[in-house]
Short mmCIF file of all heavy atoms in Angstrom, two decimals:
data_model
loop_
_atom_site.label_atom_id
_atom_site.label_comp_id
_atom_site.label_asym_id
_atom_site.label_seq_id
_atom_site.Cartn_x
_atom_site.Cartn_y
_atom_site.Cartn_z
N ASP A 575 41.05 55.25 35.14
CA ASP A 575 41.02 56.33 34.16
C ASP A 575 42.44 56.55 33.65
O ASP A 575 43.25 55.62 33.66
CB ASP A 575 40.40 57.59 34.78
CG ASP A 575 39.41 58.24 33.83
OD1 ASP A 575 39.86 58.73 32.78
OD2 ASP A 575 38.21 58.27 34.12
N VAL A 576 42.78 57.74 33.25
CA VAL A 576 44.05 57.96 32.55
C VAL A 576 44.88 59.03 33.26
O VAL A 576 44.38 60.12 33.53
CB VAL A 576 43.79 58.36 31.09
CG1 VAL A 576 45.08 58.74 30.39
CG2 VAL A 576 43.12 57.19 30.35
N GLY A 577 46.12 58.69 33.55
CA GLY A 577 47.01 59.64 34.20
C GLY A 577 47.85 58.97 35.25
O GLY A 577 48.07 57.76 35.22
N GLN A 578 48.32 59.76 36.22
CA GLN A 578 49.18 59.21 37.27
C GLN A 578 48.49 58.10 38.05
O GLN A 578 49.08 57.05 38.33
CB GLN A 578 49.59 60.33 38.24
CG GLN A 578 50.63 61.29 37.69
CD GLN A 578 51.03 62.30 38.76
OE1 GLN A 578 50.18 62.85 39.46
NE2 GLN A 578 52.32 62.55 38.89
N HIS A 579 47.22 58.33 38.40
CA HIS A 579 46.50 57.32 39.18
C HIS A 579 46.39 56.00 38.42
O HIS A 579 46.42 54.92 39.02
CB HIS A 579 45.10 57.85 39.54
CG HIS A 579 44.24 58.10 38.34
ND1 HIS A 579 44.34 59.27 37.61
CD2 HIS A 579 43.33 57.34 37.72
CE1 HIS A 579 43.48 59.20 36.59
NE2 HIS A 579 42.86 58.05 36.63
N GLN A 580 46.27 56.09 37.09
CA GLN A 580 46.20 54.89 36.25
C GLN A 580 47.49 54.09 36.35
O GLN A 580 47.49 52.87 36.51
CB GLN A 580 45.96 55.30 34.80
CG GLN A 580 45.97 54.17 33.78
CD GLN A 580 46.01 54.70 32.35
OE1 GLN A 580 46.60 55.75 32.07
NE2 GLN A 580 45.35 54.01 31.44
N MET A 581 48.61 54.79 36.25
CA MET A 581 49.91 54.11 36.32
C MET A 581 50.17 53.54 37.70
O MET A 581 50.66 52.41 37.85
CB MET A 581 51.02 55.09 35.93
CG MET A 581 50.97 55.55 34.48
SD MET A 581 51.25 54.20 33.29
CE MET A 581 49.57 53.85 32.75
N VAL A 582 49.81 54.29 38.74
CA VAL A 582 50.02 53.81 40.11
C VAL A 582 49.15 52.59 40.38
O VAL A 582 49.60 51.59 40.94
CB VAL A 582 49.73 54.94 41.13
CG1 VAL A 582 49.74 54.39 42.55
CG2 VAL A 582 50.77 56.04 41.00
N ALA A 583 47.88 52.66 39.98
CA ALA A 583 46.98 51.53 40.18
C ALA A 583 47.47 50.30 39.43
O ALA A 583 47.44 49.16 39.95
CB ALA A 583 45.57 51.89 39.75
N SER A 584 47.93 50.50 38.20
CA SER A 584 48.42 49.38 37.38
C SER A 584 49.68 48.77 37.98
O SER A 584 49.90 47.55 37.89
CB SER A 584 48.68 49.86 35.96
OG SER A 584 47.50 50.38 35.38
N ARG A 585 50.49 49.59 38.60
CA ARG A 585 51.74 49.10 39.17
C ARG A 585 51.53 48.35 40.49
O ARG A 585 52.21 47.37 40.77
CB ARG A 585 52.70 50.29 39.43
CG ARG A 585 53.38 50.83 38.19
CD ARG A 585 54.18 52.11 38.51
NE ARG A 585 55.07 51.95 39.65
CZ ARG A 585 56.23 51.30 39.63
NH1 ARG A 585 56.65 50.76 38.49
NH2 ARG A 585 56.98 51.21 40.70
N TYR A 586 50.58 48.83 41.30
CA TYR A 586 50.52 48.33 42.68
C TYR A 586 49.31 47.47 43.02
O TYR A 586 49.28 46.88 44.10
CB TYR A 586 50.62 49.51 43.64
CG TYR A 586 51.96 50.20 43.59
CD1 TYR A 586 52.08 51.52 43.16
CD2 TYR A 586 53.13 49.52 43.93
CE1 TYR A 586 53.31 52.15 43.09
CE2 TYR A 586 54.37 50.14 43.87
CZ TYR A 586 54.46 51.44 43.45
OH TYR A 586 55.69 52.06 43.38
N TYR A 587 48.32 47.39 42.15
CA TYR A 587 47.22 46.47 42.45
C TYR A 587 47.68 45.05 42.12
O TYR A 587 48.27 44.82 41.07
CB TYR A 587 45.95 46.81 41.64
CG TYR A 587 44.73 46.10 42.17
CD1 TYR A 587 44.04 46.59 43.26
CD2 TYR A 587 44.31 44.90 41.60
CE1 TYR A 587 42.94 45.93 43.77
CE2 TYR A 587 43.21 44.22 42.11
CZ TYR A 587 42.53 44.74 43.20
OH TYR A 587 41.44 44.06 43.71
N ARG A 588 47.40 44.11 43.02
CA ARG A 588 47.91 42.74 42.88
C ARG A 588 46.85 41.87 42.21
O ARG A 588 46.15 41.06 42.84
CB ARG A 588 48.28 42.17 44.25
CG ARG A 588 49.14 43.07 45.11
CD ARG A 588 50.53 43.26 44.58
NE ARG A 588 51.35 42.08 44.74
CZ ARG A 588 52.62 42.01 44.33
NH1 ARG A 588 53.18 43.04 43.71
NH2 ARG A 588 53.32 40.90 44.51
N PHE A 589 46.74 42.00 40.90
CA PHE A 589 45.71 41.28 40.13
C PHE A 589 45.86 39.77 40.29
O PHE A 589 46.95 39.22 40.14
CB PHE A 589 45.82 41.64 38.65
CG PHE A 589 45.53 43.07 38.34
CD1 PHE A 589 46.58 43.98 38.14
CD2 PHE A 589 44.24 43.54 38.26
CE1 PHE A 589 46.33 45.31 37.86
CE2 PHE A 589 43.97 44.88 37.98
CZ PHE A 589 45.01 45.76 37.78
N LYS A 590 44.71 39.12 40.55
CA LYS A 590 44.72 37.66 40.70
C LYS A 590 44.05 36.95 39.53
O LYS A 590 44.45 35.85 39.16
CB LYS A 590 43.99 37.26 41.99
CG LYS A 590 44.85 37.31 43.23
CD LYS A 590 44.14 36.63 44.39
CE LYS A 590 45.05 36.59 45.62
NZ LYS A 590 44.36 35.96 46.76
N ASN A 591 43.00 37.57 38.98
CA ASN A 591 42.16 36.87 38.00
C ASN A 591 42.13 37.58 36.65
O ASN A 591 42.26 38.81 36.59
CB ASN A 591 40.73 36.77 38.55
CG ASN A 591 40.68 36.04 39.88
OD1 ASN A 591 41.31 34.99 40.04
ND2 ASN A 591 39.96 36.60 40.85
N PRO A 592 41.94 36.82 35.57
CA PRO A 592 41.91 37.43 34.23
C PRO A 592 40.77 38.42 34.06
O PRO A 592 39.72 38.32 34.71
CB PRO A 592 41.73 36.22 33.30
CG PRO A 592 42.14 35.04 34.10
CD PRO A 592 41.82 35.35 35.51
N ASN A 593 40.98 39.37 33.18
CA ASN A 593 39.97 40.37 32.79
C ASN A 593 39.47 41.20 33.97
O ASN A 593 38.31 41.59 34.02
CB ASN A 593 38.80 39.68 32.08
CG ASN A 593 39.21 39.01 30.79
OD1 ASN A 593 39.82 39.63 29.92
ND2 ASN A 593 38.92 37.72 30.67
N THR A 594 40.36 41.46 34.92
CA THR A 594 39.99 42.31 36.04
C THR A 594 40.71 43.66 35.99
O THR A 594 40.59 44.46 36.91
CB THR A 594 40.29 41.62 37.38
OG1 THR A 594 41.65 41.15 37.40
CG2 THR A 594 39.36 40.43 37.59
N ASN A 595 41.43 43.91 34.90
CA ASN A 595 42.05 45.22 34.67
C ASN A 595 41.38 45.84 33.45
O ASN A 595 41.50 45.33 32.33
CB ASN A 595 43.56 45.07 34.41
CG ASN A 595 44.15 46.35 33.83
OD1 ASN A 595 44.06 47.42 34.41
ND2 ASN A 595 44.76 46.23 32.65
N ILE A 596 40.63 46.92 33.66
CA ILE A 596 39.94 47.59 32.56
C ILE A 596 40.41 49.04 32.53
O ILE A 596 40.19 49.79 33.49
CB ILE A 596 38.41 47.50 32.71
CG1 ILE A 596 37.97 46.03 32.69
CG2 ILE A 596 37.70 48.28 31.62
CD1 ILE A 596 36.49 45.82 32.96
N THR A 597 41.05 49.42 31.45
CA THR A 597 41.59 50.77 31.35
C THR A 597 41.63 51.18 29.89
O THR A 597 41.48 50.36 28.99
CB THR A 597 42.99 50.85 31.98
OG1 THR A 597 43.36 52.20 32.20
CG2 THR A 597 44.05 50.17 31.11
N SER A 598 41.81 52.46 29.66
CA SER A 598 41.96 52.98 28.30
C SER A 598 43.44 53.02 27.97
O SER A 598 44.18 53.84 28.50
CB SER A 598 41.33 54.38 28.20
OG SER A 598 41.61 54.96 26.95
N GLY A 599 43.88 52.12 27.09
CA GLY A 599 45.29 51.99 26.79
C GLY A 599 45.75 52.80 25.62
O GLY A 599 46.45 53.80 25.74
N GLY A 600 45.35 52.40 24.42
CA GLY A 600 45.84 53.04 23.20
C GLY A 600 45.44 54.49 23.05
O GLY A 600 46.24 55.32 22.63
N MET A 601 44.20 54.83 23.40
CA MET A 601 43.73 56.20 23.26
C MET A 601 44.06 57.06 24.47
O MET A 601 44.25 58.26 24.36
CB MET A 601 42.21 56.23 23.03
CG MET A 601 41.81 56.04 21.59
SD MET A 601 42.11 57.48 20.56
CE MET A 601 40.79 58.56 21.08
N GLY A 602 44.10 56.44 25.65
CA GLY A 602 44.32 57.22 26.86
C GLY A 602 43.22 58.25 27.06
O GLY A 602 43.48 59.45 27.17
N THR A 603 41.97 57.78 27.13
CA THR A 603 40.81 58.67 27.15
C THR A 603 40.46 59.09 28.57
O THR A 603 39.97 58.28 29.37
CB THR A 603 39.60 57.96 26.52
OG1 THR A 603 39.93 57.58 25.18
CG2 THR A 603 38.39 58.86 26.49
N MET A 604 40.67 60.34 28.90
CA MET A 604 40.22 60.85 30.19
C MET A 604 38.69 60.82 30.23
O MET A 604 38.02 61.12 29.25
CB MET A 604 40.73 62.28 30.41
CG MET A 604 42.22 62.37 30.63
SD MET A 604 42.79 64.08 30.87
CE MET A 604 42.05 64.48 32.45
N GLY A 605 38.15 60.44 31.38
CA GLY A 605 36.71 60.30 31.52
C GLY A 605 36.22 58.90 31.26
O GLY A 605 35.02 58.62 31.37
N PHE A 606 37.11 57.98 30.97
CA PHE A 606 36.76 56.60 30.62
C PHE A 606 36.19 55.83 31.81
O PHE A 606 35.23 55.06 31.68
CB PHE A 606 38.01 55.90 30.08
CG PHE A 606 37.89 54.42 29.87
CD1 PHE A 606 37.39 53.91 28.69
CD2 PHE A 606 38.30 53.51 30.85
CE1 PHE A 606 37.29 52.53 28.48
CE2 PHE A 606 38.21 52.14 30.66
CZ PHE A 606 37.69 51.65 29.47
N ALA A 607 36.77 55.99 32.99
CA ALA A 607 36.58 55.02 34.07
C ALA A 607 35.17 54.98 34.63
O ALA A 607 34.65 53.89 34.89
CB ALA A 607 37.58 55.27 35.20
N LEU A 608 34.54 56.12 34.88
CA LEU A 608 33.24 56.08 35.54
C LEU A 608 32.21 55.34 34.70
O LEU A 608 31.58 54.39 35.19
CB LEU A 608 32.76 57.50 35.88
CG LEU A 608 31.51 57.56 36.74
CD1 LEU A 608 31.74 56.92 38.11
CD2 LEU A 608 31.03 59.00 36.91
N PRO A 609 32.00 55.70 33.42
CA PRO A 609 31.05 54.91 32.63
C PRO A 609 31.52 53.48 32.37
O PRO A 609 30.69 52.55 32.34
CB PRO A 609 30.91 55.71 31.33
CG PRO A 609 32.10 56.60 31.27
CD PRO A 609 32.47 56.88 32.68
N ALA A 610 32.82 53.26 32.19
CA ALA A 610 33.31 51.90 31.97
C ALA A 610 33.07 51.03 33.20
O ALA A 610 32.77 49.83 33.07
CB ALA A 610 34.79 51.92 31.61
#
Side-chain angles (χ1 to χ4, degrees):
D575 224 294
V576 174
Q578 286 184 316
H579 62 278
Q580 175 192 33
M581 294 295 102
V582 171
S584 300
R585 283 173 50 77
Y586 294 115
Y587 193 82
R588 311 292 287 179
F589 295 100
K590 276 192 176 179
N591 301 315
N593 297 307
T594 52
N595 166 58
I596 298 175
T597 195
S598 173
M601 276 286 285
T603 302
M604 290 180 68
F606 171 86
L608 188 63

